[in-house]
Amino acid sequence: MKHILVTGGAGFIGSHTCVELLQNDYSVIIVDNFINSSPEVLDSIHRITKKDFAFYQCDLLDEDNLSRVFQEHSIDAIIHFAGLKAVGESVRQPIRYYFNNVSGTLNLLRQMEQHGVNRLVFSSSATVYGENNPIPYREDMPTGQTTNPYGTTKAMIEQILQDQCKCNSQWGVMLLRYFNPIGAHPSGLIGENPNGIPNNLMPYITQVATGKLPYLNVFGNDYSTSDGTGVRDYIHVCDLARGHVKAVESLFDEGGTKIYNLGTGRGSSVLEVVKTFEQQSGVPIPYQFAPRRAGDLAEYYADASKAERELNWQAEYSLADMCRDSWNFIQKQTPNTTGE
């Protein structure tokens, strides 16, 4: 049985990936600091899988505490999710993002070196492609011309990991560049429920649907897209979680760096997501247009054919599935929700 350390394992994507790992008979060690997650998620992971796992409340910037995790477990590989992730916030707080995301990763890599762990799957992002590449994005396109500090931290970490693999042929790293995860586990026990006002579209929509927020702000209606709103490649979080398990399965085959897009290959506009959510939930979503956000692009989506060829993975859920499961999760979190 392989032992997998999951940083940020109580977060949105991390928790769904932990479920997939446990259901595929991996031993899981979760590290999370609960900055944008909740301890209750750990109970939900256990309820879904009926399996036990180790947990450490630990910030990657706390290297002493992180070292204890490595000392107490024989770790075969790491899936690294932990990091700050809001594009708009990163524009307002660049130093915080660079320090947290890059320094935390360097601490993790130092511990890996010290304890002989040399397999890692990194949670990267389509933001590394920047604004100058044509769509759909392919893995062989140049990166680094990012439009916001969040994306730049991802590009920096990718470069660090590739340099490490060049330096040490024993290391094997997978860079998973994924697009816009939404949806929730079909059980309704885990999903996206961020602390405070959401930065991402779907939790913002669900907070409007439950009456927590009066309306949805749609940032930009003058893009050169079909309806003027931004277009993204939305992918169901369970599809994304399966992609991480596929990555782990092939991580031990050989060393070096491998890069994969995880997306559906199709773009959906903000207003298309709103309309689909209304259809699936029966709840109207009032919205108003707001100015574009700094760092946002008009449109992007993935060419995910490489992951299909080499990892035997492809997205299976539709946008309607994503909206249905998101609403199911929110209703289970707020049982008095009527949609009125």
Side-chain angles (χ1 to χ4, degrees), residues 148-177:
N148 56 78
Y150 163 75
T152 306
T153 67
K154 294 295 188 182
M156 285 180 169
I157 294 167
E158 282 197 5
Q159 187 62 58
I160 291 167
L161 293 171
Q162 290 180 80
D163 287 344
Q164 176 63 12
C165 287
K166 290 175 185 174
C167 156
N168 188 334
S169 61
Q170 298 301 308
W171 276 59
V173 168
M174 283 204 184
L175 309 177
L176 299 186
R177 296 173 180 163

Side-chain angles (χ1 to χ4, degrees), residues 80-145:
H80 179 31
F81 292 107
L84 301 173
K85 63 175 186 176
V87 168
E89 185 180 65
S90 77
V91 175
R92 298 189 300 272
Q93 302 177 27
I95 294 175
R96 180 182 176 220
Y97 268 68
Y98 288 120
F99 182 71
N100 184 88
N101 292 4
V102 179
S103 298
T105 301
L106 288 172
N107 283 349
L108 179 66
L109 297 177
R110 279 158 49 99
Q111 292 302 316
M112 290 176 65
E113 275 199 316
Q114 291 176 21
H115 293 90
V117 182
N118 57 22
R119 289 291 183 271
L120 183 139
V121 176
F122 176 55
S123 164
S124 191
S125 165
T127 56
V128 302
Y129 290 111
E131 60 184 345
N132 297 322
N133 285 311
I135 52 175
Y137 291 156
R138 298 189 320 271
E139 293 88 345
D140 59 357
M141 288 177 173
T143 60
Q145 299 300 310

Side-chain angles (χ1 to χ4, degrees), residues 97-284:
Y97 268 68
Y98 288 120
F99 182 71
N100 184 88
N101 292 4
V102 179
S103 298
T105 301
L106 288 172
N107 283 349
L108 179 66
L109 297 177
R110 279 158 49 99
Q111 292 302 316
M112 290 176 65
E113 275 199 316
Q114 291 176 21
H115 293 90
V117 182
N118 57 22
R119 289 291 183 271
L120 183 139
V121 176
F122 176 55
S123 164
S124 191
S125 165
T127 56
V128 302
Y129 290 111
E131 60 184 345
N132 297 322
N133 285 311
I135 52 175
Y137 291 156
R138 298 189 320 271
E139 293 88 345
D140 59 357
M141 288 177 173
T143 60
Q145 299 300 310
T146 49
T147 62
N148 56 78
Y150 163 75
T152 306
T153 67
K154 294 295 188 182
M156 285 180 169
I157 294 167
E158 282 197 5
Q159 187 62 58
I160 291 167
L161 293 171
Q162 290 180 80
D163 287 344
Q164 176 63 12
C165 287
K166 290 175 185 174
C167 156
N168 188 334
S169 61
Q170 298 301 308
W171 276 59
V173 168
M174 283 204 184
L175 309 177
L176 299 186
R177 296 173 180 163
Y178 39 82
F179 287 66
N180 290 69
I182 58 176
H185 193 271
S187 68
L189 292 174
I190 55 174
E192 189 171 16
N193 194 16
N195 301 327
I197 295 178
N199 291 293
N200 297 326
L201 177 60
M202 185 54 72
Y204 209 125
I205 289 174
T206 57
Q207 289 201 13
V208 173
T210 58
K212 289 184 179 179
L213 294 172
Y215 55 83
L216 170 70
N217 273 314
V218 177
F219 296 101
N221 66 335
D222 57 350
Y223 289 113
S224 56
T225 59
S226 59
D227 58 22
T229 65
V231 169
R232 300 290 182 265
D233 187 338
Y234 295 97
I235 177 172
H236 198 295
V237 66
C238 290
D239 277 334
L240 203 54
R242 285 192 304 103
H244 286 78
V245 174
K246 290 287 190 181
V248 169
E249 287 173 358
S250 61
L251 189 62
F252 298 92
D253 292 344
E254 57 185 88
T257 306
K258 291 186 177 181
I259 305 170
Y260 297 100
N261 288 334
L262 297 185
T264 65
R266 176 186 180 277
S268 301
S269 73
V270 172
L271 292 185
E272 186 180 350
V273 175
V274 170
K275 180 180 178 181
T276 305
F277 182 87
E278 289 177 333
Q279 291 170 343
Q280 292 298 312
S281 68
V283 181

Side-chain angles (χ1 to χ4, degrees), residues 288-322:
Q288 69 176 21
F289 294 115
R292 299 182 184 186
R293 293 182 299 190
D296 274 352
L297 299 179
E299 180 177 20
Y300 59 80
Y301 52 89
D303 178 338
S305 59
K306 183 181 177 185
E308 183 176 358
R309 288 193 312 271
E310 298 185 10
L311 296 180
N312 193 29
W313 173 92
Q314 61 181 336
E316 297 175 355
Y317 290 89
S318 68
L319 181 60
D321 296 330
M322 302 176 211

Side-chain angles (χ1 to χ4, degrees), residues 56 64 66-75 111 115:
Y56 293 81
D64 289 340
L66 183 60
S67 177
R68 186 166 65 90
V69 180
F70 282 83
Q71 291 168 9
E72 295 179 359
H73 295 274
S74 176
I75 297 168
Q111 292 302 316
H115 293 90

